[in-house]
Amino acid sequence: AAAEAEEAALLARLARCGAELGKAASEGDPAAAIKALGSLEALGDVENSITSYEGLGATGVIQALKQLKKQKTYKADATHAIDQATKLFERWKAANGAIQARNDADPVRARRLKAGVEELIKKAKAAEEEVEEEEEEFDEEEVTPMVVAENDRTARGVQRGDRLWALFDRDEHGQEWWGGTVIQADLNARGDGDVDVVFDDGEREVMRAKECFRRCEAGILRSLRQARPNKKAERRLKQCGVVPRENHEIRLPPSKPAAPTKKKAAKKTTSVGARAQ
């Protein structure tokens, strides 16, 4: 029992080496391969202590060594790693016959040791997955609802009733900037997504929040022919139950009252008698 427990511990160490070797092979990294091969070599001539050929196979060491001794495994020149892997593979290959013989002498014990290695590897993978899940949960917790920064002019984070601005092709009157009112926003955690907008000319369109703007420069605002919702837009907004809410610091220019008509000044006339006097 003590000898079996000792071999189980040895196979566990080999399984950890096998995992490191396999990872280095999958990444094709010569430096990682050399480090993993060094860990295996540091165990010494342990091949002479292995009685479970099946348990050894479960560790993945031999399979990884086969890969690491081929140049095509690596993304760069790996002469040193290949030499080291070849040396170790040949050493284990030389002990292969003796290990198989010991395995056949007590196959029940060999299968128990193999099952132990497989269970150990299963637990190790489960632990890695649990760590990954915790990291994902942590990342999710880190993602907070977006707060639009003062210097972020995009329309990320806009809500129903907010005003926004979008740039279009020039119309026949030369206007390309159009204001609109959000009637529905379907945004993700970063504040981006689809926004249903009634623009000031009364047209309704679905836009991407990040492609629109929360603010419009004062100079542009003052130059717009249509800077407020027209009658058609007002009717649509009323039907949707939305009241436009200005969400930028620039105030729209006040509606210009109708200019009073200039009255012609009455010409002064003087009587003939007055001029005579």
Side-chain angles (χ1 to χ4, degrees):
E4 186 172 337
E6 186 176 342
E7 185 173 352
L10 176 57
L11 287 170
R13 291 196 292 273
L14 284 170
R16 285 192 287 272
C17 286
E20 292 176 2
L21 292 166
K23 184 179 179 182
S26 64
E27 293 177 351
D29 183 359
I34 291 170
K35 183 179 178 181
L37 290 164
S39 297
L40 177 61
E41 196 164 14
L43 295 178
D45 299 332
V46 292
E47 64 271 18
N48 298 322
S49 304
I50 301 297
T51 65
S52 175
Y53 185 79
E54 296 175 34
L56 175 63
T59 65
V61 168
I62 305 303
Q63 296 90 324
L65 287 175
K66 282 182 180 179
Q67 288 181 284
L68 292 172
K69 68 188 187 74
K70 299 174 183 177
Q71 177 59 54
K72 66 179 183 180
T73 299
Y74 303 93
K75 297 177 181 177
D77 181 66
T79 304
H80 182 47
I82 291 170
D83 290 344
Q84 193 174 359
T86 302
K87 178 183 174 183
L88 285 168
F89 177 77
E90 293 300 328
R91 201 176 84 189
W92 281 93
K93 184 179 177 182
N96 187 56
I99 296 172
Q100 283 186 330
R102 291 194 289 271
N103 185 97
D104 295 341
D106 194 346
V108 176
R109 179 175 184 269
R111 284 194 290 273
R112 281 201 305 270
L113 287 166
K114 177 189 176 184
V117 173
E118 290 175 340
E119 183 64 25
L120 179 69
I121 292 172
K122 183 179 177 181
K123 287 180 179 178
K125 286 183 177 179
E128 287 178 3
E129 289 174 359
E130 187 175 344
V131 170
E132 288 176 1
E133 287 177 2
E134 288 177 358
E135 288 177 353
E136 287 176 2
E137 289 175 4
F138 180 75
D139 291 341
E140 289 175 1
E141 289 173 1
E142 287 294 310
V143 178
T144 56
M146 181 171 178
V147 177
V148 179
E150 291 182 2
N151 60 347
D152 186 351
R153 295 189 59 204
T154 68
R156 288 186 179 93
V158 290
Q159 299 299 320
R160 177 181 170 88
D162 283 346
R163 293 275 292 166
L164 54 71
W165 299 86
L167 186 61
F168 294 92
D169 293 333
R170 290 179 184 273
D171 64 6
E172 65 272 18
H173 300 288
Q175 181 164 331
E176 55 184 353
W177 281 97
W178 284 91
T181 305
V182 178
I183 59 175
Q184 187 175 348
D186 183 15
L187 307 180
N188 58 29
R190 293 175 177 81
D192 188 28
D194 293 333
V195 285
D196 196 352
V197 183
V198 173
F199 283 96
D200 292 347
D201 59 353
E203 295 300 316
R204 181 173 174 177
E205 294 191 38
V206 175
M207 310 289 290
R208 293 292 295 182
K210 66 180 180 181
E211 295 172 358
C212 300
F213 300 86
R214 295 174 67 88
R215 299 173 176 83
C216 188
E217 294 180 6
I220 294 175
L221 275 172
R222 297 190 184 98
S223 68
L224 298 182
R225 180 182 61 87
Q226 182 72 49
R228 301 171 174 278
N230 63 12
K231 295 296 183 183
K232 180 181 176 181
E234 287 177 351
R235 284 195 301 271
R236 282 200 160 184
L237 292 172
K238 188 175 181 180
Q239 290 170 356
C240 297
V242 175
V243 178
R245 178 175 58 250
E246 297 296 340
N247 58 319
H248 51 69
E249 296 172 357
I250 302 171
R251 293 185 178 181
L252 288 173
S255 299
K256 294 180 180 178
T261 56
K262 292 182 179 179
K263 294 182 179 180
K264 292 183 178 180
K267 292 183 178 178
K268 291 184 179 180
T269 58
T270 57
S271 62
V272 177
R275 283 201 298 271
Q277 293 178 359

